[in-house]
Amino acid sequence: MKHRVEHLFLAPFLLFLAFFELYPLTNMAVRSFLDETSQAFTLRYYLNVFTQPHYVTAIRNSLLFASACSLVGAVAGTFVGYIAVTLPRNQRNFLLSLYSLPLTLSGLVVAFAFIVLLGRNGVLNLIVQRLFSLPRDFYFDIYSWPGLVVVYSFYQVPLMTLTMAAVFENLDRSLLEASRNLGAKPWQTWRYIIIPILAPGFLAGLSIQLAGMLGAFGTVLALVGGAKNLLSIQIYYHTSESTYNLPQAAALSITLIILIGCVLYALSRMEKKLRPGG
Amino acid sequence: MLKRLLFLFLISFIVVPLCMPVIFSFSLFWQDIFPQGFTLQWYEAILTRPRTYSALLTSLVVAFAAVSITLLISAPAAYALNRMDTPFGRWIRDTAPILTLIFPPVTVGTALVLAFSRPPLMLSGNVWMVIIAHSLIGLPFMFRNTLASFRTLNERLLSEAAASLGANLWQRLVYVIIPNVMPGILVGALVVFAISIGEFEVTSMVAGFTGQTLPLQLFQQIRNDMRIASAISSFLVYNSLLSFIAISYLSAQIRGGPDRRAA
Amino acid sequence: MGDIVLRLNNVGKRFGKIRAVDGFNLLVEQGEFVSFLGPSGCGKTTVLRCIAGFEQPDEGEIYFRERNINSLPPEMRDVGMVFQSYALFPNMTVAENIAFPLKIKGRPRHERQEKVAELLNLVQLPGLEHRYPSQLSGGQQQRVALARALAKQPAILLLDEPLSALDAKIREELRNEIRSIQKKLGLTAIYVTHDQEEALSISDRVVVMDRGVIQQVGSPIEIYRHPKNLFVATFVGVMNLFPGRIVDKGVFRWQSSLFRVSNAEKHTGHQEAYLAVRPESIKIFSPQETSESLPSNLLEGVIDMLTFLGANVRVTVRCQGDFILRANLTAEAADRLETGQQVLATFSPESAFLILS
Ligand SMILES: Nc1ncnc2c1ncn2[C@@H]1O[C@H](COP(=O)(O)OP(=O)(O)OP(=O)(O)O)[C@@H](O)[C@H]1O
Ligand SMILES: [Mg+2]
């Protein structure tokens, strides 16, 4: 009796997800195995993914780019998260809520902001050129791979900061004091106490970053269009632009989902292993 | 001293990029280091150009619709899941908040286009599809916030207390549960609203002609006219800032309890 | 008195494989104060939640004034509940919290206000109407929770460890207050606790539970003086238990000693049993003091430890076979004792009793 009411409450949520997420995704998985014209079973689209050079390059680029962005974000974010918890209470709250802002900010706004700030005629580039009397063709290029990493750090660093600040905040000070009291030197405290405690949170943050970055493309698209070959951009173009090819987009999407699934799985395995008692 | 500098740097890391569109949007032109002149005409352009104006309206409609949908399906689900101690309940509680992580928007967009672009389900290419896409993207955020507020409130205990004092399900909802989870739900609503107003990726995949939102206009204007792009960008920044302020205020309320309101 | 308000008939409740409550039978009379006492996890809360309607018993029936209420939803039951963690509504002021059950019943505003003022006086918190729960101390919050439960004017008041989150001093103060309010209003109350002192000091009757099963029901004095089994004997208070066997009517053998026990006529035959003596019934003296009349029930030993407990001193004596005997002496009586000293211990046959194993 009690449970029936609860299931009733849950029904709209589950129906919505089933109809608009589960069904389309399953449908996509099926369609990626069907020839577009004859509707016969085919592995052609997947064969393409792993043999055609521009798809292979896209996968490789996506993995490298996502790793670079996540690593930068993870390292810098951990640092900022640590700084944040050492700040006075009101400063910390301000910083952390400010860092939750990019989470909801449109990728296009970020693209626009960085064009103005660091584009070829960007304010910062101009300032540096004038200050050091550098030639006109010396500038920081946000349209290059490293440039894109810098742009994406606007998302990645805050994201990791929020995760790690929570982890640092939960780090029980008495553990550190106990460790010192038992005669551990600072590096030993880090090695045996702090890092093992932080590691699961760090890995969880890293997996959020990696998974998010593997699928990201809005800002890249706004900055360089299709000039950078990423898996997500390939999918986008096959779904909605000139190279319209839905079954191919489906195969690429499934590939991306599997890629993300593997990354999340591997990292959660590591996380479990590192967790005490896991 | 060093710490203060570091703090300022960390603040400016977010604030400086956000200032760029804002400064740009109030300037007549900005070619060199310093912007020149002051004007409101780029904002005016949003309102007077039919295409951006209708995009603005579409964006607002879509955002309100997405907030309503996610709210109406998340809140009852969070209520139910908060008291469902079965493995099934736990699985949904753990999975729903990370759906966008497992299935990134670009794949969801592709899947939606594939599933709903031919009869009998011809939804793709109109504003309904945009609303559904935004609801899908916003759902995990809304769900996470509502579930969290049911949790921190200890809703089950309060409901039992209310029941022991004679309140039926309806009275428990009206007098106890809704007033207490409201701040958390509002936070979720603001987050979904902000995400929806700025969403570009999936929107551009499913929108078609009737679903043109403001970010789609922004995408075009970044290539065509940076000044109009700056005004649209600024509008999105203001929107994020407003919800950021509201969220900070609400979070302080949630942390501090209602006494802060009274005091 | 004599009116049965609540009857639990063979109530059982399982959670998966755990039998939280098993074969629970209890009658509660009008105006009675009954405590459930037992270790953590013994099912006290579960019984209480069954009475309140938050859990459905798997077996048995619950009768309220001879009416079966098994399927009655919580909000329809005539019981009030005070929760361990107070469960005050954070969005309402103290006054609104207390007036909540009246508002639900649709009582007019002025009546609610009067009742709130009256109840706040009763729980000694006048003037706090407009505070929010988070602006109150733990003790104050629990008083408000009590007032709120009373505002409903329930036939039975259920209290689930209402004081366990408070510190010792407030706990004692508040428990006496709860008892006096209960007496003043003639309330029927069921009080859950795992603190035996609390249970013994304020109850008319105590229900001792272990692993979901009732071990003994009785007045505090009965429970303390005549524990029915080994669990009750060890759980309530401190008890010296000599393992041995009954060798004759009123005669018990422990190792090589023979002890006399009064009031043990019903135990005959050679049964395995425990001889139980409370520490305060033990007397201790040094061998030099032994006067002409050596009492019976004598033990020899060495003082292991003297523990100062305020008014009393706990003397731990190591007897033959490494048996540890515990005795409570007044501070003066213990003055002349020191650790390592050879002593004699004794107890009267009237103060000892037998528990069959
Ligand atoms: N909702 C539940 N689901 C599963 N097991 C439960 C549930 N509630 C209680 N139990 C189990 O039933 C047994 C009795 O629990 P109960 O809460 O009644 O004990 P208690 O005597 O109140 O203990 P405490 O003094 O710690 O409050 C315990 O073993 C507990 O783990
Ligand atoms: Mg309990």
Side-chain angles (χ1 to χ4, degrees):
Chain A
M1 167 68 204
K2 235 178 178 176
H3 265 279
R4 227 171 285 155
V5 176
E6 290 172 14
H7 286 139
L8 212 64
F9 276 13
L10 196 50
F13 182 80
L14 293 183
L15 285 177
F16 184 85
L17 282 178
F19 194 71
F20 291 116
E21 184 134 25
L22 192 63
Y23 161 66
L25 285 167
T26 321
N27 174 61
M28 178 171 75
V30 173
R31 296 272 286 276
S32 68
F33 288 107
L34 298 180
D35 187 275
E36 193 167 25
T37 41
S38 69
Q39 296 293 310
F41 175 83
T42 177
L43 285 174
R44 200 177 77 218
Y45 303 112
Y46 286 97
L47 228 62
N48 288 345
V49 172
F50 296 106
T51 51
Q52 295 209 1
H54 56 288
Y55 295 141
V56 177
T57 316
I59 293 176
R60 203 199 60 200
N61 284 350
S62 275
L63 281 173
L64 287 175
F65 182 57
S67 309
C69 289
S70 308
L71 224 62
V72 169
V75 172
T78 304
F79 177 70
V80 181
Y82 176 73
I83 300 292
V85 297
T86 61
L87 289 170
R89 176 134 233 120
N90 51 352
Q91 281 184 18
R92 169 198 334 187
N93 286 345
F94 178 72
L95 187 74
L96 291 183
S97 26
L98 188 68
Y99 271 44
S100 66
L101 226 166
L103 228 61
T104 60
L105 201 65
S106 177
L108 299 179
V109 175
V110 179
F112 181 92
F114 275 90
I115 291 172
V116 177
L117 194 65
L118 276 173
R120 203 149 303 185
N121 287 315
V123 185
L124 251 145
N125 272 329
L126 290 180
I127 291 177
V128 172
Q129 279 169 11
R130 302 279 161 80
L131 269 181
F132 302 102
S133 319
L134 295 167
R136 273 298 280 149
D137 59 351
F138 186 94
Y139 58 88
F140 180 80
D141 185 7
I142 47 163
Y143 307 109
S144 64
W145 285 117
L148 290 174
V149 172
V150 167
V151 173
Y152 267 99
S153 70
F154 183 81
Y155 286 109
Q156 302 300 91
V157 174
L159 194 58
M160 192 67 175
T161 300
L162 295 180
T163 311
M164 290 313 285
V167 174
F168 279 117
E169 215 152 329
N170 289 337
L171 186 69
D172 191 350
R173 287 201 68 86
S174 62
L175 288 178
L176 311 185
E177 286 161 5
S179 164
R180 289 183 65 176
N181 173 259
L182 295 169
K185 297 182 184 67
W187 72 264
Q188 288 171 315
T189 302
W190 273 95
R191 165 72 185 79
Y192 295 111
I193 312 290
I194 300 180
I195 290 178
I197 291 176
L198 295 185
F202 180 84
L203 284 178
L206 191 65
S207 49
I208 293 175
Q209 305 240 325
L210 264 174
M213 275 315 296
L214 280 170
F217 70 99
T219 311
V220 180
L221 196 69
L223 285 173
V224 297
K228 291 283 184 262
N229 186 6
L230 289 173
L231 188 51
S232 46
I233 289 198
Q234 290 283 358
I235 298 171
Y236 176 79
Y237 273 104
H238 283 320
T239 310
S240 49
E241 297 260 329
S242 45
T243 50
Y244 195 70
N245 181 351
L246 282 178
Q248 190 60 62
L252 288 167
S253 289
I254 298 295
T255 310
L256 177 60
I257 290 173
I258 290 172
L259 213 60
I260 289 174
C262 291
V263 167
L264 287 178
Y265 179 73
L267 284 171
S268 82
R269 278 293 297 269
M270 269 170 80
E271 188 192 326
K272 277 217 184 81
K273 226 182 241 167
L274 285 175
R275 191 170 291 155
Chain B
M1 188 60 211
L2 192 70
K3 205 151 190 190
R4 178 161 301 171
L5 276 179
L6 194 60
F7 179 66
L8 285 178
F9 172 77
L10 292 177
I11 297 292
S12 49
F13 179 69
I14 302 295
V15 171
V16 169
L18 290 185
C19 289
M20 293 298 121
V22 177
I23 298 172
F24 205 118
S25 68
F26 287 113
S27 313
L28 268 175
F29 56 89
W30 189 359
Q31 299 293 349
D32 206 55
I33 292 183
F34 295 104
Q36 311 279 311
F38 176 86
T39 181
L40 289 175
Q41 69 189 88
W42 317 130
Y43 288 100
E44 214 182 305
I46 298 185
L47 300 176
T48 51
R49 290 165 39 114
R51 293 189 50 191
T52 44
Y53 183 66
S54 80
L56 171 66
L57 292 186
T58 308
S59 271
L60 290 174
V61 168
V62 167
F64 275 114
V67 167
S68 313
I69 291 176
T70 50
L71 179 63
L72 285 177
I73 63 179
S74 293
Y79 172 83
L81 285 169
N82 183 36
R83 27 188 75 225
M84 205 181 275
D85 284 328
T86 55
F88 175 68
R90 240 167 287 148
W91 181 75
I92 296 183
R93 281 201 299 259
D94 292 344
T95 314
I98 57 166
L99 273 178
T100 25
L101 213 59
I102 307 173
F103 305 115
V106 69
T107 64
V108 173
T110 304
L112 287 175
V113 169
L114 265 166
F116 299 114
S117 58
R118 56 181 170 186
L121 296 165
M122 269 297 285
L123 288 170
S124 191
N126 73 40
V127 74
W128 289 107
M129 204 67 237
V130 178
I131 291 173
I132 286 164
H134 286 203
S135 303
L136 277 177
I137 294 172
L139 196 60
F141 294 93
M142 182 63 101
F143 178 74
R144 191 161 28 184
N145 275 296
T146 38
L147 187 65
S149 56
F150 275 103
R151 283 268 144 116
T152 50
L153 173 67
N154 208 345
E155 178 270 327
R156 286 167 78 166
L157 177 70
L158 290 189
S159 286
E160 285 184 354
S164 82
L165 295 166
N168 59 32
L169 178 63
W170 175 246
Q171 290 165 323
R172 295 199 290 270
L173 278 172
V174 173
Y175 294 124
V176 178
I177 301 174
I178 292 177
N180 282 305
V181 295
M182 214 47 192
I185 288 182
L186 278 179
V187 170
L190 286 165
V191 171
V192 174
F193 190 87
I195 289 177
S196 168
I197 282 279
E199 215 293 330
F200 156 72
E201 284 109 323
V202 181
T203 315
S204 72
M205 297 171 91
V206 301
F209 288 113
T210 58
Q212 287 291 316
T213 61
L214 210 50
L216 297 193
Q217 284 294 312
L218 173 57
F219 184 65
Q220 289 179 8
Q221 297 305 339
I222 286 183
R223 282 121 193 257
N224 295 341
D225 188 340
M226 282 293 272
R227 298 164 307 177
I228 292 180
S230 77
I232 301 177
S233 294
S234 302
F235 173 77
L236 296 178
V237 171
Y238 304 146
N239 182 72
S240 274
L241 267 174
L242 274 182
S243 43
F244 151 77
I245 291 167
I247 289 171
S248 307
Y249 173 75
L250 286 169
S251 312
Q253 287 239 314
I254 294 170
R255 273 199 303 271
D259 54 321
R260 298 285 141 76
R261 209 168 359 181
Chain C
M1 280 283 206
D3 235 5
I4 305 275
V5 183
L6 182 74
R7 181 153 70 89
L8 290 127
N9 186 19
N10 208 25
V11 169
K13 176 76 188 170
R14 252 170 289 127
F15 292 109
K17 282 193 184 131
I18 304 170
R19 285 194 148 273
V21 178
D22 201 6
F24 197 98
N25 287 298
L26 186 69
L27 298 178
V28 179
E29 290 181 359
Q30 170 65 41
E32 215 184 359
F33 195 112
V34 178
S35 288
F36 292 174
L37 174 65
S40 188
C42 72
K44 308 178 293 281
T45 299
T46 306
V47 178
L48 215 62
R49 290 171 61 81
C50 286
I51 299 172
F54 300 132
E55 304 285 0
Q56 291 290 318
D58 299 320
E59 308 157 7
E61 302 86 39
I62 301 174
Y63 294 95
F64 182 79
R65 295 200 202 283
E66 289 312 309
R67 171 176 168 223
N68 185 322
I69 56 166
N70 273 34
S71 52
L72 206 61
E75 61 265 29
M76 308 287 281
R77 298 192 183 193
D78 198 5
V79 299
M81 182 130 176
V82 178
F83 295 81
Q84 179 175 1
S85 46
Y86 323 135
L88 295 177
F89 306 127
N91 58 318
M92 300 182 196
T93 60
V94 167
E96 287 166 340
N97 262 288
I98 297 176
F100 184 78
L102 301 169
K103 188 168 163 183
I104 292 296
K105 280 188 198 159
R107 288 289 145 78
R109 195 184 170 78
H110 65 90
E111 186 189 326
R112 299 201 303 248
Q113 279 171 347
E114 271 169 35
K115 192 78 190 171
V116 167
E118 177 193 323
L119 284 166
L120 277 176
N121 267 329
L122 186 70
V123 297
Q124 308 192 2
L125 288 179
L128 292 189
E129 280 91 341
H130 303 298
R131 295 260 192 104
Y132 278 92
S134 50
Q135 296 169 314
L136 302 178
S137 72
Q140 289 172 326
Q141 288 187 49
Q142 197 54 291
R143 283 164 199 261
V144 174
L146 179 64
R148 183 177 70 176
L150 292 176
K152 190 187 172 187
Q153 294 187 299
I156 307 174
L157 186 64
L158 307 176
L159 304 103
D160 190 359
E161 309 203 23
L163 308 180
S164 61
L166 305 172
D167 57 43
K169 200 152 167 105
I170 299 178
R171 205 151 62 208
E172 196 176 328
E173 198 180 298
L174 205 48
R175 84 177 181 218
N176 294 332
E177 231 170 275
I178 290 175
R179 174 61 159 161
S180 78
I181 288 173
Q182 178 262 338
K183 274 190 171 152
K184 185 151 63 176
L185 304 180
L187 281 169
T188 310
I190 300 180
Y191 188 102
V192 164
T193 178
H194 58 241
D195 179 341
Q196 36 147 328
E197 190 193 323
E198 212 166 274
L200 295 180
S201 62
I202 59 173
S203 319
D204 294 318
R205 267 195 310 157
V206 178
V207 177
V208 185
M209 296 175 64
D210 184 36
R211 281 179 252 162
V213 180
I214 294 185
Q215 302 294 324
Q216 187 171 0
V217 182
S219 72
I221 292 183
E222 268 167 17
I223 299 279
Y224 190 79
R225 295 233 180 109
H226 306 291
K228 261 195 193 152
N229 58 30
L230 213 54
F231 173 81
V232 180
T234 46
F235 187 72
V236 180
V238 179
M239 187 72 89
N240 292 300
L241 287 167
F242 299 89
R245 57 174 47 238
I246 303 165
V247 288
D248 203 350
K249 264 189 192 171
V251 182
F252 180 88
R253 176 153 72 215
W254 169 71
Q255 298 184 356
S256 55
S257 318
L258 288 180
F259 294 141
R260 303 210 144 269
V261 191
S262 312
N263 313 318
E265 285 75 20
K266 58 182 180 212
H267 303 300
T268 50
H270 291 247
Q271 279 187 47
E272 300 259 340
Y274 287 93
L275 181 85
V277 191
R278 292 282 179 198
E280 57 270 24
S281 306
I282 306 262
K283 292 189 184 63
I284 296 227
F285 46 91
S286 46
Q288 304 88 285
E289 289 174 312
T290 19
S291 50
E292 51 295 344
S293 61
L294 256 183
S296 56
N297 297 350
L298 206 59
L299 292 115
E300 275 176 48
V302 176
I303 295 184
D304 216 29
M305 208 183 347
L306 292 164
T307 316
F308 182 63
L309 302 175
N312 286 320
V313 173
R314 160 74 45 81
V315 185
T316 317
V317 182
R318 187 178 295 273
C319 305
Q320 63 190 97
D322 269 351
F323 183 85
I324 299 290
L325 183 77
R326 286 162 297 181
N328 278 9
L329 305 187
T330 60
E332 301 115 57
D335 243 4
R336 58 212 158 71
L337 303 177
E338 54 195 54
T339 32
Q341 188 180 347
Q342 192 84 31
V343 290
L344 290 173
T346 177
F347 55 90
S348 70
E350 291 76 30
S351 65
F353 55 94
L354 294 172
I355 297 172
L356 299 183
S357 37

